[in-house]
Amino acid sequence: MAKYSFEFKKKVVLSYFIVEDGYTYLAKIYGTPSRSKIGQWVANYKKIGDEGLSVRKKNTTYFFPV
């Protein structure tokens, strides 16, 4: 089971775009242990949108078009 739901990830990512206070601030506000995880969510969302935040099985790799 995934630790964070799609809805939670999207809420955090959208907060990043609205508030723009940085990953550390958002990690503290939302109680996530890692600011780098938020950075990954934001990068994935920028590249492929909602699909980048979807919950997926372990060891599943997405290939991003260049």
Side-chain angles (χ1 to χ4, degrees):
M1 184 172 166
K3 189 167 185 173
Y4 300 105
S5 69
F6 167 80
E7 292 80 14
F8 177 78
K9 292 177 187 178
K10 185 152 185 180
K11 182 177 172 182
V12 174
V13 169
L14 293 179
S15 293
Y16 171 77
F17 290 124
I18 292 169
V19 178
E20 295 184 3
D21 272 338
Y23 304 143
T24 304
Y25 173 76
L26 291 173
K28 193 177 290 188
I29 295 298
Y30 287 103
T32 59
S34 171
R35 65 186 180 93
S36 64
K37 185 62 75 177
I38 295 173
Q40 289 174 343
W41 298 342
V42 170
N44 288 344
Y45 187 79
K46 284 180 179 178
K47 286 183 182 180
I48 56 176
D50 285 345
E51 182 134 343
L53 302 177
S54 65
V55 177
R56 58 186 189 261
K57 294 180 183 178
K58 267 190 168 184
N59 300 327
T60 301
T61 305
Y62 282 114
F63 296 98
F64 300 109
V66 178

